[in-house]
């Protein structure tokens, strides 16, 4: 079989072709940038809702891939990367990305044409979606001092009203600084004036030592903001925060007892 050889002229031609190719790759994004638009169904949404982000590319945009890539690059849902196939709407090609969030914050979404990996694409457009808390309005009754040396429980009452039925709360979903309640009770115990008011309340008990562990290092007299979360039967989130002053004086009874026993043993 006769060997195929390239002439010197052919060798000179290859680098020229490659140079033109890479120049085209670099120039293409600028050309295609104006050929894509991105619209958000609702820029501001309550947590748990579904939101749609729609990207439209015009006929002059050449798609190497049949879909557009949606990437959440910042915000509570950062890290999501999904390719969505396009459909024709007239002469345009359209792709719609739908998602939800379980956290508040603002997502920054980048949409790519011909996504070839991190940093490699032909065109990009940006959109933002803000997620807000959809928690109902309600009152809490709680002591505003937390003795982190206590071996007891911290009691919190979620007050019911004509606008809020505490029976809609899933008590097993409630967390205080991520700590579940050890027990709960539904009863009418608190009203705006301090007595019963005819509306049921939810009384929650949390182990103080578990709360103290969740808070980590604290100082005596320090004021900390604690967050109570949960969910309702409707799927809405329950969330409230309040300030507590840390008390860190003295030692737990158990430590005092152990110290006393060691002292007595040493004296013997």
């Amino acid at each position: 079989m006769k060997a195929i050889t390239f002439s010197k002229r052919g060798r000179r031609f290859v680098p020229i072709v490659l140079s033109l190719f890479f120049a085209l790759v670099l120039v293409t994004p600028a050309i295609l940038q104006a050929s894509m638009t991105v619209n958000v169904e609702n820029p501001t949404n309550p947590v748990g809702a579904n939101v749609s982000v729609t990207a439209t590319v015009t006929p002059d945009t050449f798609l190497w891939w049949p879909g557009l890539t949606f990437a959440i690059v910042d915000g509570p849902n950062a890290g999501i990367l999904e390719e969505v196939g396009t459909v024709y709407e007239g002469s345009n090609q359209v792709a719609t990305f739908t998602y939800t969030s379980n956290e508040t914050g603002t997502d920054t979404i980048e949409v790519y044409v011909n996504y070839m990996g991190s940093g490699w694409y032909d065109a990009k457009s940006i959109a933002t979606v803000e997620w807000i808390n959809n928690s109902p309005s309600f009152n809490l009754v709680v002591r505003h001092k937390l003795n982190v040396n206590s071996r007891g429980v911290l009691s919190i009452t979620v007050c019911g009203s004509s606008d809020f039925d505490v029976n809609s709360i899933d008590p097993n979903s409630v967390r205080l600084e991520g700590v579940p309640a050890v027990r709960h009770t539904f009863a009418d115990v608190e009203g705006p004036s301090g007595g019963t008011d005819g509306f049921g309340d939810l009384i929650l008990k949390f182990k103080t030592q578990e709360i103290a562990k969740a808070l980590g290092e604290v100082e005596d007299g320090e004021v900390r903001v604690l967050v109570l979360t949960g969910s309702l039967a409707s799927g809405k989130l329950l969330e409230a925060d309040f300030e507590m002053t840390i008390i860190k004086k003295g030692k737990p009874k158990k430590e005092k007892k152990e110290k006393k026993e060691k002292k007595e043993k040493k004296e013997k």
Side-chain angles (χ1 to χ4, degrees):
M1 181 182 292
K2 186 176 180 181
I4 299 175
T5 59
F6 292 95
S7 65
K8 291 183 178 180
R9 182 178 178 182
R11 293 195 201 101
R12 289 196 300 270
F13 182 69
V14 171
I16 294 174
V17 172
L18 290 174
S19 298
L20 290 172
F21 173 77
F22 286 114
L24 181 62
V25 170
L26 293 174
V27 172
T28 299
I31 297 174
L32 296 180
Q33 187 69 37
S35 299
M36 177 172 58
T37 58
V38 179
N39 294 303
V40 180
E41 181 183 16
N42 294 305
T44 302
N45 301 269
V47 170
N50 288 326
V51 63
S52 295
V53 182
T54 301
T56 303
V57 294
T58 54
D60 61 332
T61 302
F62 183 75
L63 294 181
W64 296 86
W65 277 269
L68 302 179
T69 302
F70 293 77
I72 302 180
V73 297
D74 191 27
N77 298 288
I80 293 178
L81 182 71
E82 185 171 327
E83 184 176 302
V84 181
T86 60
V87 295
Y88 277 98
E89 291 187 3
S91 58
N92 297 326
Q93 292 188 63
V94 179
T96 300
F97 168 59
T98 301
Y99 79 110
T100 188
S101 177
N102 293 320
E103 299 180 49
T104 59
T106 301
D107 285 329
T108 299
I109 303 172
E110 294 184 349
V111 187
Y112 308 110
V113 173
N114 298 331
Y115 182 75
M116 294 167 277
S118 181
W120 292 90
Y121 50 83
D122 283 342
K124 177 182 75 174
S125 288
I126 298 175
T128 59
V129 176
E130 182 181 3
W131 298 98
I132 59 175
N133 185 20
N134 67 343
S135 177
S137 177
F138 59 92
N139 293 320
L140 288 179
V141 175
V142 58
R143 289 182 58 192
H144 289 283
K145 291 184 179 181
L146 177 66
N147 185 347
V148 294
N149 288 325
S150 170
R151 298 289 175 178
V153 295
L154 173 66
S155 178
I156 295 179
T157 300
V158 181
C159 298
S161 67
S162 58
D163 298 320
F164 181 57
D165 182 3
V166 295
N167 290 291
S168 65
I169 302 174
D170 174 8
N172 295 319
S173 71
V174 179
R175 299 288 185 274
L176 178 61
E177 290 299 304
V179 176
V182 291
R183 57 182 181 273
H184 67 272
T185 307
F186 287 97
D188 180 13
V189 294
E190 298 284 354
S193 59
T196 59
D197 58 1
F199 298 104
D201 308 305
L202 173 60
I203 305 94
L204 300 154
K205 305 288 184 180
F206 301 88
K207 284 188 176 181
T208 304
Q209 284 303 297
E210 290 186 8
I211 300 300
K213 184 178 179 180
L215 292 176
E217 290 295 325
V218 293
E219 298 294 333
D220 186 45
E222 179 183 357
V223 177
R224 295 288 292 268
V225 176
L226 277 66
V227 179
L228 180 79
T229 61
S231 61
L232 307 182
S234 63
K236 289 185 177 181
L237 298 183
L238 183 79
E239 185 173 331
D241 58 66
F242 53 90
E243 293 184 346
M244 296 202 82
T245 300
I246 302 299
I247 298 175
K248 197 180 179 183
K249 293 181 179 179
K251 295 182 179 180
K253 292 181 180 180
K254 185 177 179 181
E255 290 185 16
K256 288 182 178 179
K257 184 179 179 181
E258 290 176 349
K259 187 174 181 181
K260 183 179 179 181
E261 289 175 348
K262 287 181 180 179
K263 185 178 180 181
E264 291 175 349
K265 188 175 181 181
K266 187 176 182 181
E267 289 176 349
K268 289 179 180 180

